[in-house]
Coordinates of all heavy atoms in Angstrom, one line a residue:
R313 N -13.2 32.6 13.7 CA -14.2 32.9 12.6 C -13.8 32.1 11.3 O -14.7 31.5 10.7 CB -14.2 34.4 12.3 CG -15.2 34.8 11.2 CD -15.0 36.2 10.7 NE -16.0 36.6 9.7 CZ -15.9 37.6 8.9 NH1 -15.0 38.5 9.1 NH2 -16.7 37.7 7.9
N314 N -12.6 32.2 11.0 CA -12.1 31.5 9.7 C -12.3 29.9 9.9 O -12.7 29.3 8.9 CB -10.6 31.9 9.4 CG -10.5 33.2 8.8 OD1 -11.5 33.8 8.4 ND2 -9.3 33.8 8.8
G315 N -11.9 29.5 11.1 CA -12.0 28.0 11.3 C -13.4 27.6 11.2 O -13.7 26.6 10.5
I316 N -14.5 28.3 11.8 CA -15.8 27.9 11.7 C -16.3 28.0 10.3 O -17.1 27.1 9.7 CB -16.7 28.7 12.6 CG1 -16.3 28.3 14.1 CG2 -18.2 28.4 12.4 CD1 -17.1 29.1 15.2
N317 N -16.0 29.1 9.6 CA -16.5 29.3 8.2 C -15.9 28.4 7.3 O -16.6 27.8 6.4 CB -16.1 30.8 7.8 CG -17.0 31.8 8.4 OD1 -18.1 31.5 9.0 ND2 -16.7 33.0 8.3
E318 N -14.6 27.9 7.5 CA -14.1 26.9 6.6 C -14.7 25.6 6.9 O -15.0 24.8 5.8 CB -12.5 26.9 6.7 CG -11.8 28.0 6.3 CD -10.3 27.9 6.5 OE1 -9.7 26.9 6.8 OE2 -9.6 29.0 6.5
Y319 N -15.0 25.2 8.1 CA -15.6 24.0 8.4 C -17.0 24.0 7.9 O -17.4 22.9 7.2 CB -15.7 23.9 9.9 CG -16.2 22.5 10.4 CD1 -15.5 21.4 10.4 CD2 -17.6 22.4 10.7 CE1 -15.9 20.2 10.8 CE2 -18.0 21.2 11.0 CZ -17.2 20.1 11.2 OH -17.8 18.9 11.5
L320 N -17.8 25.0 7.9 CA -19.1 25.0 7.3 C -19.0 25.0 5.7 O -19.8 24.4 5.2 CB -19.8 26.3 7.7 CG -20.3 26.4 9.1 CD1 -20.8 27.8 9.4 CD2 -21.2 25.3 9.5
G321 N -18.0 25.6 5.2 CA -17.8 25.6 3.8 C -17.4 24.3 3.2 O -17.5 24.0 2.0
G322 N -16.8 23.5 4.1 CA -16.3 22.1 3.7 C -14.9 22.2 3.0 O -14.5 21.2 2.5
Y323 N -14.2 23.3 3.1 CA -12.9 23.4 2.5 C -12.0 24.2 3.4 O -12.3 25.3 3.9 CB -12.9 24.1 1.2 CG -11.6 24.3 0.5 CD1 -11.0 23.1 -0.2 CD2 -10.9 25.4 0.5 CE1 -9.8 23.3 -0.8 CE2 -9.7 25.5 -0.1 CZ -9.1 24.5 -0.8 OH -7.8 24.5 -1.4
L324 N -10.8 23.6 3.7 CA -9.8 24.2 4.7 C -8.7 24.8 3.7 O -8.0 24.1 3.0 CB -9.2 23.0 5.5 CG -10.1 22.3 6.4 CD1 -9.4 21.2 7.2 CD2 -10.9 23.1 7.3
D325 N -8.6 26.1 3.9 CA -7.7 26.9 3.0 C -6.3 26.5 3.2 O -5.6 26.1 2.2 CB -7.9 28.4 3.3 CG -9.4 28.9 2.8 OD1 -10.0 28.2 2.0 OD2 -9.7 29.9 3.3
N326 N -5.7 26.6 4.3 CA -4.3 26.4 4.5 C -3.8 24.9 4.1 O -2.8 24.7 3.7 CB -3.9 26.7 6.0 CG -3.9 28.2 6.2 OD1 -4.0 29.0 5.4 ND2 -3.9 28.5 7.5
E327 N -4.8 24.0 4.5 CA -4.5 22.6 4.2 C -4.8 22.2 2.8 O -4.5 21.1 2.4 CB -5.3 21.7 5.1 CG -4.9 21.8 6.6 CD -5.4 23.1 7.3 OE1 -6.2 23.8 6.8 OE2 -4.8 23.6 8.4
N328 N -5.5 23.1 2.1 CA -5.9 22.8 0.7 C -6.6 21.5 0.6 O -6.4 20.5 -0.2 CB -4.7 22.7 -0.3 CG -5.1 22.6 -1.7 OD1 -6.2 23.1 -2.1 ND2 -4.3 22.0 -2.5
M329 N -7.6 21.3 1.6 CA -8.3 20.1 1.8 C -9.8 20.2 1.8 O -10.3 21.1 2.5 CB -7.9 19.6 3.1 CG -8.4 18.2 3.5 SD -7.8 16.9 2.4 CE -8.9 15.5 2.6
R330 N -10.5 19.5 0.9 CA -12.0 19.5 1.0 C -12.4 18.4 1.9 O -12.1 17.2 1.8 CB -12.6 19.2 -0.4 CG -14.1 19.1 -0.4 CD -14.7 19.6 -1.7 NE -14.6 21.0 -1.9 CZ -15.3 21.9 -1.4 NH1 -16.2 21.7 -0.5 NH2 -15.0 23.2 -1.8
I331 N -13.2 18.8 2.9 CA -13.7 17.8 4.0 C -15.1 17.5 3.9 O -15.6 16.6 4.7 CB -13.3 18.3 5.4 CG1 -14.1 19.7 5.7 CG2 -11.8 18.6 5.6 CD1 -13.9 20.2 7.1
R332 N -15.8 18.1 3.0 CA -17.2 17.8 2.8 C -17.6 18.2 1.4 O -17.2 19.3 1.0 CB -18.1 18.7 3.8 CG -19.5 18.2 4.0 CD -20.3 19.1 4.8 NE -19.7 19.3 6.1 CZ -19.2 20.5 6.5 NH1 -19.1 21.5 5.6 NH2 -18.6 20.6 7.6
P333 N -18.5 17.4 0.8 CA -18.7 17.8 -0.6 C -19.5 19.0 -0.9 O -19.5 19.7 -1.9 CB -19.5 16.5 -1.2 CG -20.0 15.9 0.1 CD -19.0 16.2 1.2
E334 N -20.3 19.5 0.2 CA -21.1 20.7 0.0 C -21.0 21.4 1.3 O -20.9 21.0 2.4 CB -22.5 20.3 -0.4 CG -23.3 19.5 0.6 CD -24.7 19.0 0.2 OE1 -24.9 19.0 -1.0 OE2 -25.5 18.8 1.1
A335 N -21.3 22.8 1.0 CA -21.3 23.7 2.2 C -22.6 23.6 3.0 O -23.7 23.2 2.5 CB -21.1 25.1 1.7
I336 N -22.5 23.9 4.3 CA -23.7 24.0 5.2 C -24.1 25.6 5.1 O -23.2 26.4 5.5 CB -23.4 23.7 6.6 CG1 -23.0 22.2 6.6 CG2 -24.6 23.9 7.5 CD1 -22.5 21.7 8.0
G337 N -25.3 25.9 4.6 CA -25.6 27.2 4.4 C -26.8 27.7 5.3 O -27.6 26.9 5.9
F338 N -26.9 29.0 5.5 CA -28.0 29.7 6.3 C -28.7 30.7 5.5 O -28.1 31.3 4.6 CB -27.4 30.3 7.6 CG -26.8 29.3 8.5 CD1 -25.4 28.8 8.3 CD2 -27.5 28.7 9.5 CE1 -24.9 27.9 9.2 CE2 -26.9 27.7 10.4 CZ -25.6 27.4 10.2
E339 N -29.9 30.9 5.9 CA -30.7 31.9 5.1 C -30.0 33.4 5.4 O -29.6 33.6 6.6 CB -32.1 32.0 5.6 CG -32.8 30.7 5.2 CD -34.3 30.8 5.4 OE1 -34.9 31.7 5.1 OE2 -35.0 29.8 6.0
E340 N -30.0 34.2 4.4 CA -29.3 35.5 4.5 C -30.2 36.5 5.3 O -29.6 37.3 6.0 CB -29.0 36.1 3.2 CG -27.9 35.2 2.4 CD -27.5 35.9 1.1 OE1 -27.9 37.0 0.9 OE2 -26.9 35.3 0.3

Side-chain angles (χ1 to χ4, degrees):
R313 181 189 177 194
N314 286 344
I316 293 177
N317 285 349
E318 289 177 17
Y319 185 81
L320 291 174
Y323 180 78
L324 305 179
D325 291 340
N326 291 343
E327 292 74 16
N328 189 28
M329 183 69 198
R330 177 153 294 283
I331 61 173
R332 192 186 312 104
E334 59 184 25
I336 297 171
F338 296 86
E339 297 189 42
E340 294 186 7

